[in-house]
Amino acid sequence: MNTMAEAGLQTQQRSSQDGRETSLWSSGFGMKLEAVTPFLGKYRPFVGRCCQTCTPKSWESLFHRSIMDLGFCNVILVKEDNTRFRGWLVRRLCYFLWSLEQHIPPCQDASQKIMESTGVRNVISGRAPGGAGEGPVPSHVKKEVQRILGHIQAPPRPFLLRLSSWALLRFLNRLFLNVQLYRGQVKMVHKAAQAGSPLVFLSTHKSVLDGILLPFVLLSQGVGVLRVAWDPRTCSPILRALLKKLGGLFLPPEANLSLDSPEGVLARAVVHATVEQLLASRQPLLIFLEEPPGVRGPRLSTLGLSWLGLVVQAVQAGIVPDALLVPVAVTYDLVPEAPHDACHALAPLGLWTGLLAVLRSLRRWGCSRRVCVRVHLAQPFSLQEYTINARSCWGSRQTLEQLLQPIVLGQCTVVPDTEKEQEWTPVTGPLLALRQEDQLLVRRLSWHVLNASVASSAVMSTAIMATLLLFKHQKGVFLSQLLGEFSWLTEETLLRGFDVGFSGQLRCLLQHTLSLLRPHVALLRIQQGDLLVVPRPGPGLTSLARLSAELLPTFLSEAVGACAVRGLLAGRVPPEGPWELQGIELLSQKELHCQILLLLHLLPQDLLLLQPCQSSYCYCQEVLDRLIQCGLLVAEELSQQSRCPDFFLFLCRLLSPVLKAFAQAATFLHRGHLPDTESGYAEQLFQFLQATAQEEGLFECADPNLAISAIWTFRDLGVLQQMPGPTGPMLHLSQAFASRESQEKLGQFIRQFICS
């Protein structure tokens, strides 16, 4: 299959040349919708523009429409033409020659400059006998600084960089079908680099391969040697030593000590000086904003926040006048490795263990299951400009307990017109040394960048296929029908301004996708020659749910709106009766607005990824506009269309995994054993979700991350309380939800948004 090729996806024609109107979902809407001619291969939305509210100057100056006409390139496709030489020997040694020709700027040892930096000398002078002074640094203090600096970084070795580039090129060609990169996004980054400010790449984190794939991709595109901020928990000492020689950075363990610890103060000063030196020398830096894959916890990375805080502090201190932030995302058809066990995910990866994992990956995947990869570089924007403009968007916020608990318990019916304050990532390390205002700036900047990274990510074919199989065809679907629905959902994705990570002939594309999903689906050939695709029950549905989550940001606004409409309609019919009303149902815009706001407060920020500069009121209005735009509501009367359309049910089901997990967590309140530690109660809830999945078939909810998310949401809501215990913090059931009546009210509040 040739993905990202010039040829467009051959889809079923949905409109005749005489311009008649038709649609796949028109019968369900009860109205006519203008058909859109399939435009795969004719039009792809340019994604990744920066926020026009927070960074209007960057939005205008760091973009040119000519870059939208550039195509894609396969980064790992290296041939004779990619070298300066020609001949049969060059064709056999092109990988090696290509790695030799990569431009690697000289990297000088900056240890002396770091030692002489103002911050480090101030700390040293305070620790030296006799107090402050300009005398020589004591030898024992100098050795301590050098030890800390040696833990952080080492000068990159050009020979090792070229050798690793050659080895990676061979490895990636064995593991992946292609690694696609949009040339326009690369040109946009190069244009931003000409401004003279250092580049800081802020990325999502889908795989442990991201840390070696992104530096390889950016080095091949002439960006330079990328300094990668690695998580020291995931690497053994030998592997850390190797990664440091390839440009890796590691936060020393002393940096996480308390603010009054002398060792912690010195370590943080050395880390500050290191980042300042990197930015001053214009070396590109890569920071992962998400936790490593498989880690049970908040989405925002504590380590990523710490490194980003160091960059913000360096710019505010005037070490560099500005820094350009580049949101980055990597998407895979299937992640080559996806550990969902927290213990396994946090186990340090050794050098030999890593080599064995590489060999196992090559053997397990082989040529038949090679996946496609897309690397996305969103539009860079000025950190200085964001810092100035973002503070004006900050308003008052309230906790989830203040916003929702009175409404859940029936004590109040008015939703407060304030924003929700919900931060699950703890503040540790260098971030603690910042002021409260700067800590808030770093957190909201992280959410802003993560939103941009997700919005620029392409939707892969496996995510579309998993969504169709999980939410529309759990009992099976014929391949002939699946062809049309896959084409429809692809077009709907593109219409909403999201790109897709594939192209080519439709039947070949589905064959490739089903081959990747073969462990999770069964393929049955019938007598008529068609093929029946049936999702495998059990863990297969859980895997499909994880894949379908990649498509949720595309339809998130409509899904929230559909579930809110579901909540309003649920109160107008008997609980045991069908809630799909047959007639035209009038809905109050004010009631629907409040219902959307309630659901927004209930859903975690890790799922919504709302921009901090966008108020909930504006988002609710956007949801209403989307529902009207897609034909589910009529603006004049604000009524629901007659007959419940399939598309409406499809949107409702997109949020069903998280909402059903929350409802099961509410049911579990009177069954669980409390008090217990957070990890212990999370394990209890996860086992309950697994047992319920076996009994009721809700396998899409049997996810440990959903269990953690439900517990933390209930803690913010005031259902659970965390109190100190003899062995650490313990979770208790709050007094407000101690009775079965209040627990039932909580369950009813959640279940009103669920479409069965």
Side-chain angles (χ1 to χ4, degrees), residues 181 186 319 348 462 478 521 523:
L181 181 65
V186 178
I319 304 301
T462 48
F478 291 111
V521 299
L523 304 179

Side-chain angles (χ1 to χ4, degrees), residues 49-54 386 397 419 444 447-449 451-452 455 605 608-616 619:
R49 296 296 302 272
C50 62
C51 179
Q52 198 171 7
T53 302
C54 299
Y386 177 85
R397 291 175 178 258
E419 303 300 312
R444 297 191 177 178
W447 285 119
H448 212 294
V449 173
N451 175 279
Q605 172 67 3
L608 295 173
L609 288 181
L610 299 181
Q611 290 183 332
C613 61
Q614 185 181 30
S615 66
S616 298
Y619 189 81

Side-chain angles (χ1 to χ4, degrees), residues 64-225:
H64 195 273
R65 292 197 174 274
S66 62
I67 67 177
M68 299 175 61
D69 301 328
L70 302 177
F72 292 87
C73 65
N74 183 6
V75 179
I76 61 175
L77 181 62
V78 175
K79 298 182 178 179
E80 177 186 4
D81 299 338
N82 300 104
T83 68
R84 294 178 298 167
F85 309 98
R86 297 294 181 268
W88 67 269
L89 184 61
V90 175
R91 286 192 289 272
R92 286 156 178 79
L93 299 177
C94 57
Y95 286 6
F96 178 73
L97 295 175
W98 175 86
S99 63
L100 291 179
E101 293 180 356
Q102 295 305 302
H103 174 66
I104 299 178
C107 299
Q108 300 178 353
D109 189 0
S111 58
Q112 188 62 32
K113 292 183 179 180
I114 294 174
M115 184 78 68
E116 296 173 355
S117 65
T118 304
V120 173
R121 292 196 66 87
N122 288 339
V123 175
I124 291 176
S125 62
R127 290 175 50 138
E134 297 295 333
V137 178
S139 59
H140 69 281
V141 179
K142 187 175 182 179
K143 290 181 180 179
E144 179 68 12
V145 173
Q146 291 176 343
R147 185 191 65 82
I148 296 174
L149 186 58
H151 189 99
I152 299 173
Q153 68 168 3
R157 301 286 193 263
F159 172 75
L160 281 179
L161 286 169
R162 298 186 190 279
L163 182 62
S164 65
S165 297
W166 169 79
L168 273 176
L169 191 56
R170 297 187 65 86
F171 167 66
L172 295 176
N173 272 281
R174 291 291 187 92
L175 190 62
F176 299 134
L177 195 61
N178 52 51
V179 178
Q180 297 290 343
L181 181 65
Y182 188 53
R183 291 191 180 97
Q185 295 175 341
V186 178
K187 185 176 180 180
M188 191 166 50
V189 172
H190 280 297
K191 181 181 178 182
Q194 295 173 0
S197 298
L199 296 175
V200 180
F201 296 89
L202 304 172
S203 176
T204 59
H205 205 176
K206 301 299 182 185
S207 167
V208 294
L209 289 177
D210 294 348
I212 59 175
L213 177 62
L214 286 174
F216 170 83
V217 169
L218 294 174
L219 177 64
S220 68
Q221 302 302 309
V223 176
V225 178

Side-chain angles (χ1 to χ4, degrees), residues 4-17:
M4 290 303 164
E6 295 285 335
L9 179 62
Q10 296 180 0
T11 57
Q12 294 181 345
Q13 188 173 5
R14 293 173 59 190
S15 61
S16 61
Q17 295 183 356

